[in-house]
Amino acid sequence: MLFVDIHKAFNSVDHNLLYDKLKNYGVPHRLLLWFGSYLSDRQQRFRANQCQSSWKPLSGGMPQGSWLCPLSFLVLINDLSAGCSIVKYVDDSTLSELVQPKSDATKMIQFLENLITWTANN
């Protein structure tokens, strides 16, 4: 088994890739426009006690705490395939395969290479 936890997954969402995948799933154009407006022109600032920073624009990532965040991430990883059994739960995935004792590791190496290729493209 290989347990995969994508580091800072929600902070690294590529909006263009998400739009493309939503479009490929047949999401209506009006809904894509609405979702695009939800993700665009977002800002953040830091506050500690009575001091606060100025507003800074955000590029990429997902607003955490909304119900759209995990659903969007599931859209992003839905096409994750490594050639073995995969259980996906938002930014955590488990790859598993039964490997016979004393067998070579070629199968597992191929699964890892598939995972690395998918990760690089997504």
Side-chain angles (χ1 to χ4, degrees), residues 12-59:
S12 60
V13 170
D14 180 329
H15 294 168
N16 293 323
L17 180 63
L18 178 58
Y19 296 148
D20 288 345
K21 289 189 178 197
L22 287 168
K23 188 175 179 180
N24 289 338
Y25 283 121
V27 172
H29 184 69
R30 282 190 171 190
L31 191 54
L32 286 173
L33 290 175
W34 172 82
F35 194 62
S37 70
Y38 172 72
L39 292 176
S40 63
D41 300 322
R42 299 189 74 84
Q43 298 181 358
Q44 72 178 9
R45 69 178 170 183
F46 175 76
R47 180 177 176 187
N49 297 324
Q50 300 302 320
C51 298
Q52 63 187 14
S53 68
S54 59
W55 287 99
K56 301 289 183 190
L58 295 174
S59 58

Side-chain angles (χ1 to χ4, degrees), residues 67-121:
W67 60 271
L68 287 175
C69 187
L71 291 175
S72 299
F73 202 78
L74 288 173
V75 167
L76 285 171
I77 67 165
N78 191 50
D79 62 351
L80 169 59
S81 175
C84 61
S85 176
I86 302 178
V87 176
K88 303 168 194 167
Y89 182 76
V90 190
D91 64 335
D92 297 313
S93 298
T94 304
L95 289 73
S96 61
E97 181 70 19
L98 182 61
V99 178
Q100 298 299 322
K102 298 183 182 179
S103 68
D104 66 9
T106 306
K107 243 181 166 180
M108 290 309 292
I109 290 171
Q110 184 61 50
F111 299 149
L112 288 172
E113 287 174 349
N114 292 344
L115 176 64
I116 291 167
T117 299
W118 181 89
T119 303
N121 292 330

